């Protein structure tokens, strides 16, 4: 067996439970050192496949799927935790390209109201290709703040804010110059995005919501939403002063916190559901829908002061390391429940609408659950504890999500 994480040792001091019902063991592979490894190790009846031995299940990182997916022959029952071209949704530039195309198709086929359901990502341009469009928009909205992000990086690497025309022109020169010697296929892409300047703040701090969505099929689309998630808070108080010393703006939007939450929380959850469904639909025809594959996406969502949710990013490889015991336990449950939904052991009937902490949200169409109490502000299937749909419970759930978890491992000291 490969090494288990230190958290594992403290979280479980019991030995691995035996497979009591005499079924053949599930042979797994895991090439990541994180909580996934602990969950697999502890799962009754699962054994780690030896080198060169066949396996039934693999939990792998994105590099592994990139390097191996074309050479794999998989038996019917085998499961793998990534779709081959997951990057269509998870690379910043491709996500935007797919969302824009989806929006255009909706506009063409169903008109403006339907297309406006895609208006949950800030205005974004992919550079260098859309530089001129970006420049036009930039000039049209002079004075607004933009955020520049490298398309293929994470953890805030290479991100900066700008608000002056000269800055974006200099940047264009810089990327053009550094790309001159390279083959065009290697040009580094960036996204320039309108910066949400009025985030919803809690105690003066900016935060992203991290919500998990499990997709078990793209055609038809079958997606499960996890009831637990968390908020990643910035370590510093939110201020735009870091990008322009003359402009000191410290937002205090928490005054009417309770009232605002109560009146808007139903709509908020509906809007968040819409983000999941629309974004997944935008890549439905693009993702290679291999029945062996599933994907546990970590959605990053930012709320503005009007409680409008904005999609910031979709992660195919969200962090499964923990910054605290509570964080460890939540992620352990999440991954355990993921395996329960994937059901390599074939325990489910296939008709379940709830498995552990997951609620079936979409199954070729919206899923209506019998135990949902209609919300005053809509009937979104976004999960809460037991009385799904009741505004008060949703409010509680939102508060649970907003519970700060120490983020030392996440490098969020600035969060832009
Ligand atoms: N358009 C935006 N408006 C306001 N804030 C933004 C915007 N885009 C990103 N941010 C902030 O910057 C942070 C990092 O952005 P993003 O997630 O896109 O980059 P990343 O490098 O992939 O970071 P990570 O790996 O931590 O998710 C976000 O968590 C969010 O708080």
């Amino acid at each position: 067996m490969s090494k288990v994480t230190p958290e594992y040792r403290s979280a479980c001091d019991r030995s691995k439970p035996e497979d009591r019902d005499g079924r053949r063991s599930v042979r797994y592979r895991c090439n990541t050192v994180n909580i996934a490894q602990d969950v697999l190790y502890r799962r009754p009846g699962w054994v780690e496949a030896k080198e060169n031995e066949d396996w039934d299940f693999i939990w792998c990182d994105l590099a592994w799927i990139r390097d191996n997916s074309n050479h794999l022959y998989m038996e019917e029952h085998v499961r793998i935790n990534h779709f081959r071209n997951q990057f269509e949704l998870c690379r910043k530039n491709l996500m935007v390209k797919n969302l824009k195309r989806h929006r255009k198709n909706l506009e063409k086929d169903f008109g403006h109201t339907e297309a406006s359901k895609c208006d949950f990502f800030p205005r974004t341009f992919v550079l260098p290709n859309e530089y001129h469009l970006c420049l036009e928009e930039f000039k049209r909205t002079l004075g607004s703040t933009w955020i520049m992000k490298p398309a293929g990086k994470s953890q805030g690497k290479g991100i900066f804010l700008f608000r002056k025309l000269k800055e974006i022109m200099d940047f264009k020169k810089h990327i053009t110059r550094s790309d001159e010697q390279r083959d065009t296929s290697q040009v580094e892409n960036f996204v320039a995005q309108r910066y949400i300047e009025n985030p919803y703040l809690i105690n003066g701090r900016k935060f992203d919501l991290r919500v998990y969505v499990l997709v078990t099929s793209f055609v038809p689309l079958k997606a499960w939403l996890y009831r637990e998630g968390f908020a990643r808070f910035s370590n510093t108080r939110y201020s735009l002063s870091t990008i322009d010393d003359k402009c000191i703006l410290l937002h205090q939007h928490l005054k009417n916190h309770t009232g605002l939450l109560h009146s808007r929380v139903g709509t908020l959850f509906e809007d968040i559901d819409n983000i999941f469904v629309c974004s997944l639909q935008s890549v439905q025809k693009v993702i290679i829908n291999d029945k062996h594959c599933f994907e546990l996406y970590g959605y990053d969502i930012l709320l503005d002061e009007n409680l409008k949710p904005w999609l910031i990013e979709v992660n195919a490889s969200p962090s499964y390391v923990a910054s605290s015991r509570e964080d460890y336990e939540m992620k352990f449950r999440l991954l355990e429940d993921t395996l329960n939904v994937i059901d390599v052991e074939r325990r489910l009937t296939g008709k379940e609408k709830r498995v552990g902490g997951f609620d079936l949200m979409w199954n070729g169409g919206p899923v209506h659950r019998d135990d949902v109490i209609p919300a005053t502000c809509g009937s979104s299937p976004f999960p809460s504890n037991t009385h799904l749909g009741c505004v008060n419970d949703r409010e509680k759930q939102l508060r649970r999500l907003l519970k700060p978890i120490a983020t030392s491992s996440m490098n969020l000291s600035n969060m832009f």
Side-chain angles (χ1 to χ4, degrees), residues 9-10 87 102 112 144 167 215 218 225 245 256 265 268 287 309 334 351 362-363 376 397 402 415:
R9 300 235 176 261
S10 59
F87 45 80
H102 186 55
H112 181 70
S144 55
E167 288 170 302
V215 176
F218 270 95
L225 189 56
D245 290 341
N256 297 322
V265 88
L268 169 63
I287 297 272
L334 165 74
K351 294 193 177 142
W362 196 268
N363 191 10
T376 0
Q397 192 197 353
L402 296 182
M415 272 191 46

Side-chain angles (χ1 to χ4, degrees), residues 55 69 72-80 84 290 292-293:
W55 40 266
S69 65
L72 277 181
Y73 166 75
M74 287 184 271
E75 283 179 48
E76 176 77 21
H77 69 281
V78 168
R79 291 290 176 271
I80 184 161
R84 288 158 206 250
D290 186 331
H292 299 97
C293 304

Side-chain angles (χ1 to χ4, degrees), residues 311-369:
L311 175 61
I312 297 299
E313 196 186 20
V314 187
N315 297 282
S317 196
S319 160
Y320 298 121
V321 293
S323 51
S324 65
R325 188 179 179 98
E326 194 189 8
D327 191 23
Y328 182 92
E329 286 168 358
M330 195 280 279
K331 287 174 179 163
F332 194 98
R333 279 193 299 277
L334 165 74
L335 292 167
E336 224 175 16
D337 287 342
T338 299
L339 298 187
N340 291 335
V341 172
I342 299 311
D343 194 30
V344 181
E345 299 98 333
R346 294 172 191 263
R347 293 187 184 126
L348 305 181
T349 64
K351 294 193 177 142
E352 290 78 4
K353 291 183 179 175
R354 176 174 282 188
V355 175
F358 279 107
D359 289 292
L360 186 57
M361 164 178 63
W362 196 268
N363 191 10
V367 174
H368 299 289
R369 297 163 29 120

Side-chain angles (χ1 to χ4, degrees), residues 92 149 154-156 193-196 206 208 313 416:
K92 295 175 180 52
K149 317 187 223 183
S154 60
Q155 296 179 328
Q193 187 169 72
R194 264 299 279 277
Y195 183 70
I196 306 297
K206 184 174 168 178
D208 288 341
E313 196 186 20
F416 309 100

